[in-house]
Amino acid sequence: MSSRKIKNMEEFAAVSGISRPTLSKFFNDPTSVRSSTRKRVEAALDRYDYRPNLYAMNQNRRLTKNIGVVVPHLADPFFAKIARTIEEHILRQGFRPVLLGSHGSPEMELENLENLRMLKPAGVLLAAFGRSSDHAQIQTFTGEVPTVLFDANIEKVGKAFIGSNNEQSVDLIVDYLCRTGEPPAFFEMKDPMNPNAYKRRAAYVRAMERLGQTPHLIQVGGEGWEFEEIGFREGTRVIRDRSLPSKTILCSNDRLAIGLLSAIFEAGMSVGIEAGHDFRVAGHDDHPFSRFTCPRLTTVSQDYEAIAEKSATTLLALIEADDSLDSRTETLFDGKLVLRGSA
């Protein structure tokens, strides 16, 4: 390997004896050149340890074509569904999505952003962890790369945020539960990672007070992304301790509710809207699994399609404007009540 440091593609073309247009063609699409040429380029890359500045190459064109999409966990069907919907919108506009999951780890979230920083895509759609995210690092990143946040908001970070109207959706389901039975207690993690959880907690308290009811928060321990496990373990505990202040339980999200449903079943008790059942249970999000629980889970749906489309179109408009939009915008979509057998 040569010890000489190659600064740019012009120098690399000079030392390798391969023309600049041929190198550009190779770096844009290695399959677009003959196999013999490809081997020459690859040998020269190994010899001179040259790595092209993809961002600079792309900036020589009007637009780059890669768009990063970063979510907390691609294995979570909620994020998998919204990421697929975003991907479809991006592809229809002629861009290439790069989907990255952070595996429930704020450290991996930063690593994903660093990998994207090296790739320098046209823009990034980021569903951040929120409270546990490194806000300073993310703010630095969004100052360099056009970024739109979705699902979880970090104040003053990025040029836009697209998400759900938690105030409206929680008020909607609290009102329904109070009209149709015993007012609900709110089952949640005491220290959740996602800022939506805090907004839902506050919205529940306000909705109960508006209706002249006393709020009851069931705040349980647990960290990380295994919400079903937390719901089952802590649900088992509060049922055993007979510490539930109401027979109607509204969970902060559907995944906690799924765990709670299992805990109630294991305790030999039942859930349902009809008279004679021990509990009513409701959730939030309309998680893809919520329609297949037993009984099927009453919840509030997020408008996946609208959030995905608005996120994609907002980022594309930001890219077209060369990241020069003056003010940060926030767009919230209302939820819809989804009535099933659990409440």
Side-chain angles (χ1 to χ4, degrees):
M1 180 183 296
S2 171
S3 60
R4 177 180 176 182
K5 180 65 175 178
I6 305 300
K7 298 179 180 179
N8 53 49
M9 198 180 301
E10 284 72 20
E11 287 189 16
F12 183 60
V15 298
S16 67
I18 303 169
S19 71
R20 177 69 166 77
T22 298
L23 289 173
S24 293
K25 191 175 182 182
F26 170 84
F27 289 127
N28 287 326
D29 180 8
T31 64
S32 66
V33 300
R34 292 194 299 268
S35 60
S36 58
T37 302
R38 189 160 60 248
K39 290 177 182 178
R40 286 181 61 206
V41 175
E42 290 169 350
L45 287 171
D46 289 338
R47 179 180 178 186
Y48 294 103
D49 192 28
Y50 171 67
R51 294 295 177 268
N53 186 333
L54 297 179
Y55 181 58
M57 290 168 54
N58 283 327
Q59 289 305 308
N60 287 330
R61 299 193 298 270
R62 181 169 177 267
L63 289 174
T64 61
K65 290 299 180 182
N66 294 323
I67 289 180
V69 183
V70 182
V71 299
H73 216 307
L74 276 173
D76 185 330
F78 172 84
F79 286 110
K81 181 174 181 179
I82 199 167
R84 285 197 303 270
T85 309
I86 286 174
E87 182 180 32
E88 292 170 0
H89 286 291
I90 292 172
L91 286 169
R92 282 200 293 268
Q93 297 301 319
F95 286 79
R96 294 183 294 268
V98 180
L99 299 179
L100 298 172
S102 300
H103 303 287
S105 164
E107 292 75 22
M108 179 62 75
E109 179 176 75
L110 286 183
E111 185 174 330
N112 284 334
L113 293 180
E114 184 59 31
N115 288 336
L116 287 171
R117 190 198 306 272
M118 290 187 292
L119 184 61
K120 293 292 185 180
V124 169
L125 291 163
L126 171 63
F129 286 103
R131 182 179 65 87
S132 58
S133 295
D134 188 325
H135 292 201
Q137 292 278 10
I138 292 177
Q139 189 163 30
T140 298
F141 176 86
T142 60
E144 300 173 0
V145 181
T147 304
V148 169
L149 273 65
F150 68 98
D151 182 65
N153 196 10
I154 300 177
E155 299 294 333
K156 300 179 181 179
V157 171
K159 289 296 180 69
F161 168 70
I162 317 297
S164 292
N165 186 345
N166 290 291
E167 186 76 24
Q168 175 270 341
S169 59
V170 172
D171 188 84
L172 184 67
I173 197 163
V174 168
D175 180 78
Y176 163 75
L177 293 172
C178 287
R179 284 189 289 105
T180 56
E182 188 175 359
F186 192 68
F187 186 84
E188 62 166 349
M189 293 166 63
K190 183 178 181 180
D191 296 305
M193 299 174 73
N194 192 296
N196 287 324
Y198 291 95
K199 293 178 180 179
R200 292 172 190 176
R201 174 192 297 172
Y204 162 78
V205 171
R206 284 191 289 268
M208 291 288 282
E209 291 175 344
R210 179 182 63 80
L211 295 169
Q213 304 291 342
T214 301
H216 294 288
L217 300 177
I218 308 169
Q219 297 183 321
V220 302
E223 295 181 353
W225 213 254
E226 302 302 324
F227 299 114
E228 293 89 353
E229 179 184 339
I230 294 168
F232 175 76
R233 182 186 69 239
E234 296 300 312
T236 298
R237 180 182 61 79
V238 296
I239 292 169
R240 181 195 62 221
D241 295 346
R242 300 181 182 274
S243 58
L244 290 171
S246 172
K247 296 297 184 181
T248 300
I249 311 297
L250 171 61
C251 296
S252 180
N253 63 61
D254 286 350
R255 293 183 60 189
L256 283 174
I258 289 170
L260 179 61
L261 287 175
S262 183
I264 293 170
F265 178 81
E266 287 284 315
M269 308 174 84
S270 64
V271 174
I273 195 170
E274 301 88 358
H277 288 290
D278 298 292
F279 292 99
R280 293 190 304 160
V281 175
H284 193 292
D285 293 335
D286 197 21
H287 188 280
F289 290 170
S290 65
R291 67 199 68 182
F292 302 116
T293 57
C294 186
R296 300 169 73 213
L297 185 64
T298 289
T299 184
V300 182
S301 68
Q302 295 197 49
D303 195 336
Y304 295 89
E305 180 67 28
I307 292 171
E309 182 175 6
K310 182 65 175 178
S311 298
T313 57
T314 300
L315 180 60
L316 293 173
L318 184 61
I319 294 168
E320 288 282 0
D322 195 24
D323 198 22
S324 60
L325 299 182
D326 294 330
S327 59
R328 187 179 191 269
T329 63
E330 294 189 9
T331 304
L332 302 179
F333 290 94
D334 288 350
K336 294 181 181 179
L337 194 61
V338 180
L339 299 181
R340 301 192 180 109
S342 70

